[in-house]
Amino acid sequence: MIADNSGNRVATDEEGYLIEPGHWDQAVAEHLAAQEHLHLTEEHWKVLRFMRSFYDEHQIAPDARFTIKFLAEELGYGRKARNYLFKLFPYGYVKQACKLAGMKRPRAWSTG
C-alpha cells in the first residue's frame, strides 16, 4: 500500500504494481520511483504522461514501441529513442516505466 496526493491508501500487488490504474497520481509515481531509486526528471514525467494518456484512450498499457515512437518523434530523440528509454528506466520498460505510470503488470510481455 502507498499513499496518493490526498493521503488515500493505494493498493499494489506483490511486485509493487498498482492493482487499479485509476488510482495513479503524481504522489503515487513519486513514491514508486523512490522504491526504484529513481529521481524523476521532466523527461521521465513526459514519458509517464504519454503512457497515462495512451492508457486513458485505449484502456491498456502502451507497448514499448509506442513509447519509443513518442520519444523519437515528439521529443526528438530519433534513432536514439530506444536507448534513451532504457537510460530513463534502466531496469526495463515493464519493471520501471509501466510500474511508475501506474499500469498493471503486463503479463504477456517480457520484463525488458
Side-chain angles (χ1 to χ4, degrees):
M1 291 276 203
I2 56 178
D4 65 10
N5 278 332
S6 302
N8 297 320
R9 297 175 70 79
V10 176
T12 59
D13 68 13
E14 64 280 350
E15 296 176 89
Y17 292 85
L18 294 188
I19 292 173
E20 175 50 55
H23 293 158
W24 183 89
D25 66 17
Q26 183 173 334
V28 169
E30 289 171 348
H31 185 85
L32 293 169
Q35 290 178 340
E36 294 290 322
H37 306 291
L38 280 178
H39 170 73
L40 297 178
T41 65
E42 185 54 34
E43 293 287 294
H44 287 99
W45 284 113
K46 288 176 184 177
V47 170
L48 296 177
R49 284 190 291 268
F50 164 76
M51 293 175 71
R52 291 302 305 185
S53 176
F54 186 98
Y55 178 83
D56 289 344
E57 184 175 336
H58 303 282
Q59 296 302 299
I60 96 171
D63 186 291
R65 68 180 171 229
F66 293 110
T67 305
I68 291 167
K69 183 177 179 181
F70 168 76
L71 284 167
E73 295 176 2
E74 300 296 321
L75 299 185
Y77 285 97
R79 293 177 169 251
K80 297 178 183 179
R82 184 180 191 284
N83 289 339
Y84 192 68
L85 179 62
F86 288 96
K87 180 179 177 185
L88 289 172
F89 304 101
Y91 289 103
Y93 182 72
V94 171
K95 168 80 170 99
Q96 289 185 317
C98 288
K99 185 184 287 186
L100 273 55
M103 307 290 137
K104 291 182 180 180
R105 187 186 194 298
R107 298 290 176 202
W109 297 353
S110 74
T111 58

